[in-house]
Amino acid sequence: MLEVTNLDAGYGFLQVVWNVNIQVKPGEFVALVGPNGAGKSTTLKTIAGLVPVRSGSITFDGRPIAGMPAHQISQMGLSFVSESLNLFTNMSVYENLLLGAYHVHDRAQQEESVRFVFDLFPRLQGRRNQLAGTLSGGERKMLAIGRGIMSSPRMLLVDEPSLGLAPKLTLDVFRALERLRQGGVTVLLVEQNVNTTLRITDRAYVLEQGHIVLEGPSSELLQNDHVRKAFLGI
């Protein structure tokens, strides 16, 4: 479904990722893990059309998307949930969700998507009319993910959903992502929480200093000596 080939990307004169290759098959739950500053978020933003491609190619569902505007990529069914969330803090939870379905013109479909999000994140249902800016950190993460799935994407890019969350809320968010995968949504997850991530994903790529240094089934990477020493403290 997603193929990133020999990707170079960065900001201005600063190159952040070099020769990155990633493949994600339909229905997979794949992780991109690594230390802070490794280039994980830059990779996701480049795929989503928010950072320009310097060289290499990106295809989604067989179509080249490198250089395509972010809103067109979203309309193709590839939704991006940013680490910074980008919520409209002076708007309600419900209004933020509807903005996630801005290009869905069928009102019944919008409401069906809202019901699905509230079923996925029951905490949000009781805060339907509450301003997004008054939510807790965990609730904001849930709202950002919920808004990301309002357009019924076929693939979801999620950037650091556990950042700043208590362990219980982290597990709630990860369970929701797993449930989405079980419902047929392909997921590419960027995370620093390597231990939990490798326990719930199918495959993973390890990014260090802008380069992919390891890849393979998540269960095997959990036993890899480098991963255990560098990220698990074992």
Side-chain angles (χ1 to χ4, degrees), residues 81 89 116 119 165 173 203 221 228:
V81 179
T89 56
F116 177 79
D119 181 58
L165 296 189
V173 170
R203 294 189 300 109
L221 290 178
R228 289 165 67 87

Side-chain angles (χ1 to χ4, degrees), residues 18 37 40 42 179 208 218 225:
W18 287 263
K40 305 184 304 297
T42 298
R179 185 175 165 190
E208 294 181 2
S218 298
D225 288 341

Side-chain angles (χ1 to χ4, degrees), residues 3-42:
E3 186 166 10
V4 179
T5 306
N6 301 329
L7 177 67
D8 290 350
Y11 307 89
F13 65 88
L14 179 64
Q15 185 164 339
V16 179
V17 295
W18 287 263
N19 199 38
V20 165
N21 293 276
I22 296 172
Q23 291 186 342
V24 183
K25 298 177 182 178
E28 279 194 307
F29 194 171
V30 177
L32 181 60
V33 300
N36 190 35
K40 305 184 304 297
S41 295
T42 298

Side-chain angles (χ1 to χ4, degrees), residues 7 30 37 61 65 72 78 98 122 126 139 162 180 197 213 221 225:
L7 177 67
V30 177
D61 230 7
I65 61 172
Q72 291 184 9
L78 183 60
L98 289 184
E139 290 162 352
S162 75
L180 286 173
T197 300
V213 296
L221 290 178
D225 288 341

Side-chain angles (χ1 to χ4, degrees), residues 68-101:
M68 186 179 292
H71 71 277
Q72 291 184 9
I73 293 174
S74 174
Q75 290 172 1
M76 290 174 63
L78 183 60
S79 185
F80 174 54
V81 179
S82 165
E83 173 190 349
S84 57
L85 306 183
N86 297 323
L87 298 175
F88 293 90
T89 56
N90 291 322
M91 299 177 70
S92 70
V93 166
Y94 177 69
E95 289 168 335
N96 268 273
L97 290 176
L98 289 184
L99 285 173

Side-chain angles (χ1 to χ4, degrees), residues 87-141:
L87 298 175
F88 293 90
T89 56
N90 291 322
M91 299 177 70
S92 70
V93 166
Y94 177 69
E95 289 168 335
N96 268 273
L97 290 176
L98 289 184
L99 285 173
Y102 70 94
H103 63 264
V104 177
H105 304 298
D106 186 333
R107 185 69 178 183
Q109 184 179 342
Q110 290 180 350
E111 291 300 326
E112 178 63 27
S113 295
V114 169
R115 286 191 292 271
F116 177 79
V117 171
F118 286 159
D119 181 58
L120 192 65
F121 297 115
R123 293 168 67 101
L124 294 180
Q125 186 165 15
R127 292 158 175 76
R128 176 189 181 105
N129 297 316
Q130 189 171 323
L131 295 182
T134 65
L135 299 177
S136 69
E139 290 162 352
R140 291 188 187 203
K141 298 276 187 177

